[in-house]
Structures are given as structure tokens and as C-alpha cells.
Amino acid sequence: MLGEVILVGVMVGAVYALVTVGYSMVFGILKLMNFAHGDTYIFGTLICLTLLAKYNIHPVLAILIAAIAGGGLAFLVELLVYRRLRAPQHRLISMITALGAAYVVQNISELQWGNQVMSFPSIVESKFVTLLGLQVSVTHIITLFVAVLCIAVLILFMRYSRYGKAIDCVSQDMDAASLMGIPINRVVSSVYFMGGVLGVVGGVLYSSAYNAVSLGMGFRGTLIAFTAAVIGGIGSLGGALLGGMILGLSENLIGVYVSSSYRDPLLYSLLIIMLLVKPTGILGNSDQTKV
Amino acid sequence: MLVVEDIHAQYGKVKALHGVSLKIKEGEIVALLGANGAGKSTFLKVISGMLKPTSGSVTFRGKPLNGVRTDRIVIAGMAHVPEGRRVFPMATVMTNLEMGAFTRKDKAGVKKDIERYFDIFPVLGERRNQRAGTLSGGEQQMLAIARGLMSRPSLLLLDEPAMGLAPILVQEIYNIVQELNAAGTSILLVEQNVHKTLAIANRAYVLECGVVAINGRAEELMKSEEVIKCYLGEVS
Ligand SMILES: Nc1ncnc2c1ncn2[C@@H]1O[C@H](COP(=O)(O)OP(=O)(O)OP(=O)(O)O)[C@@H](O)[C@H]1O
Ligand SMILES: [Mg+2]
């Protein structure tokens, strides 16, 4: 039993990590709480639902289109809403604007899909197999695999590609980066786009694993990403992965062994404790901008 | 090469430049001198597109730069090594140098240049995989200069490149500036060491409270009573 719970926890953790990475990178580059993150990727997830359920499109293609739609929406939000408020003295205003953007995106989705819980089709056949003596669902294994794959590709991209390194440098010193000839606006746009894409992949994986999606998952998604990012160290890629994993695992363990109604209170207690004890997160640097 | 005309610039309501004009001809070293707060760094920021002037114009190799983004200006062949080093602290020495070459496509040439700067500044070579933020101040200064040169600019703006360096390295920096210049790079040099700077410069401008107070050939300024009185007094 414990083995199975941990495996599901790891699967959820990997999905949370995917969702958190997008959020945390965006924070890293503009030092802005992107409250619209969850609602943006749920928008993409709902598009995927429509493509799958209504138009019977092949799942891989559907995810691809949905991810581009979610990434595109994140791109638009940055371009239209955050870009003008990038200067440090506008940080508080931009945070409030981000809340507004979240609300607008959420309402657009609500017009199209309503706010009830909808069933989300399984992308892969849901059957169980025995693996290392554990009863595991194929869906969970594939979800875990896809999430880990996306994260691995992202890590390789950030570490070894010229563009990935440029993203990292823009988040360290935007002015100095522009003096290197790095096109700042394009880099910021692409980070928002990537954050949206990864979020949608996470959203689709999660919805498909639990066969459900709802508008409410958007706001909850933002909270999860925020909490995981803070626990791991906001703005740090490794921190996002660690935070997502901790959150996914503890959420499942608490849900199964304590009670699912204690799940959220315990999680947010974790957030508060982290903010009090080590506001820079587990992997955060003390010289990084605090939350 | 560079023609700057009647630049006015301000930060919010604080005016920093009140109509500054300056010219750099192909192959020249031009010094920009002045007391703290005179507006030297501000002027460089206007040229490299980091600060929008309220009025005035900058023309680089015949093309107006008004409203042109900094990264485009770098591609056009200008590099600005800003005041205060500004290396990427969390990135390695190597990555910092690679970023300096962001606009270049010739991978082999970039590698060669990096090795060249490791030869000139051996300490950077030894620390190539160390995070730039963990270097000493002087080492960061060397990295900032090498990084600025990585784009192979035709015009280089240097804002106090010798700041915080030991005398022997200061001399090294001046040598590099002269070598670069001999190889065809035009240079606008902001420095506190008036004597040394005038010694290598062709011409110089002295800024005072946001306006050009004096300008002329370097040899003449070295003899000028006004310059000697205000800037060289304690040195000679
Ligand atoms: N970011 C800023 N915000 C507001 N005022 C500024 C800013 N940067 C510079 N100033 C002001 O503009 C004026 C010119 O500053 P600048 O940095 O150009 O001087 P400088 O000649 O480079 O001085 P130093 O020799 O000390 O480097 C100063 O009065 C300074 O206080
Ligand atoms: Mg200065």
C-alpha cells in the first residue's frame, strides 16, 4: 500500500514540478508573481478537452495544439499586461494587475466551458500492471514518464543551449544582458510561452490521470505552483522540481493516511512555516529577491 | 563613426545632461573626463540605448540610433562595458564570456577569442568554471572587459575600466586599450586617472554638471592651465 501511495505521490509531484517550473521561471525573469499562471494553463487544458471530446483529434496532436494555445495566451498576457509594468518601482502594481489578468482569463474560460467539473478522457488506456510487486496504473507510469521527460528536456535546454543560458543571464541582470546584444523582450516572451506550454502539459496529464477538469483547478494550480516554488526556492529550476515533488508526495501521503480534508490546510501551513523559517526556500540563495 | 548632438537626458525629474555633443572618428581614442556626478555614465547609457534622451540625436556609422534597442546597437558593432562590472554573478566565467559573444555566429572564432583573453588574464582561465559572483572585484572587472570585447565591437565604450584594479593591471588595461585601438577599434574611454587617460587618448571632452566644459586634442589639454588646475593639480 505505502509503495503505491508513494508512486502516485511521485507522479503527482512530477506533474506539480512541471507546473511549478513555468511559474518559477517567469518569476525569475521579471520578479513578478504571475497569478494568471494556473488559469492560463487550465485554459489550454480545456482546449485540449474540447479537441479530444468534441473533435476526436489524436491525443498527441491535441496536446500539442492546446500547449501552443496555452503558451500563446501566457505570451499575450505578458505582452499586453505585464510589459509596461516591468520596472522595479511598479512591482506592487504589477502584482495586482496579475490578479486582474487571472480573473479575466478565468472568466473567458467560464464563458466557453462553464465552471462545473467536467470529465476528462483518459489519454492512455487505464489498466493496471504489476511492477516490482506493486499494483500500478499504466496511466500513472506514462504521466510520470512524460513529466520527467519534459523536465529533462528543459534542464538540458537551460544548461547547455546558448538561448537557455541567455534566459538565465536575463534573469540575473536584465540591463547587462541587453548590453550583450540579447533581445530582452523576445527572451521574456519566450519564457512566458514556455511556462504556458509546460503548464498545459502538466494540466492535461493531471486531468487525464484523474479523469476530471474544472475551472477551479486554475486558481488551485497557481497556489500549488506558488507554494512549491516558495518551498523549493523561488526562481530556481532545481527548487521548482524539489518543491513540486515535496508537495505532490506529502499531499498524497496526507490524503491517504490522515484525511483528504486536512490536505490543503497542512500544505498551506507548510508554506507559512517555510516563509517564516527560510523565506528563500530550500535551494534559494540568500541574495535572491525575497518573496 | 559616432556623432552625438545636443543630448539632453534626465532620470525622472532629475536632469543629468544639458545638451552634450561629441564626435568620434574612425580609429580614435576619445577620453570623457569629469568629476563624480558630471554625467559621464549617463552619457554612455544614452549612446548605447539604455537610457532614452529627452532630446538630441546619436548617429553611429551613418545610421541614426534614436529609438533603436540596445541589442540592435550591439549588433551594429558597439559594445558598452558599464560602470560597476555588472557580470552575471550566478553564471560561470565561461558563460559570461559566451554571453558577450551572443551576437556572433562563428563558434570557432568565439572559442579562440576566449582563449586569447584567458592568456591575457590568466586568472580568468584558472577560474573558468567558477561563478562570476565569487570572483574578487578586480577579477570581475577583468571579466567585464573581456566580456565586452567578445562581440568584437568597432566602437567600444569603457566606463572606468581600471576601477579597483592593482596598478600593474591598470597598466595592462591601458595596454589592451591601445592594442585594440591599433587593431582598428574606436574607443570612448571614461576614466578618473586624467594623466594616464590623456596620455593614450587622441582627444578629450571634460563634462561638468551635464555640459561639455572643455574639449580638444589630448596633448593640448595636458598643457591647458584650466585642466591642470582642476584635474591634474595634485598629480603633476
Ligand atoms: N538611476 C539614476 N536615477 C536618478 N539619478 C541618477 C541615476 N543615475 C545617475 N543619476 C544622477 O545623474 C547625475 C549624473 O550621474 P552619472 O552616473 O552619469 O555621473 P558620472 O559622471 O558617471 O559620475 P561618477 O564619476 O561618479 O561615475 C548624478 O547627479 C546622479 O545622481
Ligand atoms: Mg560614472
Side-chain angles (χ1 to χ4, degrees), chain A residues 162-163 165-166 168-170 172-173 175-186 285 287-288, chain B residues 48 50 69-71 74 80 82 86 88-91 95 98-105 131 147:
Chain A
R162 206 170 66 107
Y163 205 77
K165 290 180 196 172
D168 198 30
C169 288
V170 172
Q172 290 175 52
D173 189 335
D175 286 339
S178 76
L179 288 177
M180 302 298 110
I182 298 170
I184 303 300
N185 285 340
R186 196 166 354 130
N285 281 84
D287 61 10
Q288 267 173 346
Chain B
S48 65
M50 313 239 324
R69 286 196 327 251
T70 302
D71 57 290
V74 177
H80 174 183
R86 304 291 286 268
F88 302 114
M90 308 297 284
T95 303
E98 283 167 11
M99 285 301 122
F102 187 82
T103 54
R104 285 170 63 179
K105 300 277 177 287
R131 282 184 175 180
R147 183 183 66 174

Side-chain angles (χ1 to χ4, degrees), chain B residues 36-37 39-42 83 159-160 190 192:
Chain B
N36 294 124
K40 306 179 295 293
S41 300
T42 304
E83 185 175 41
D159 199 342
E160 307 202 24
V190 172
Q192 296 291 348

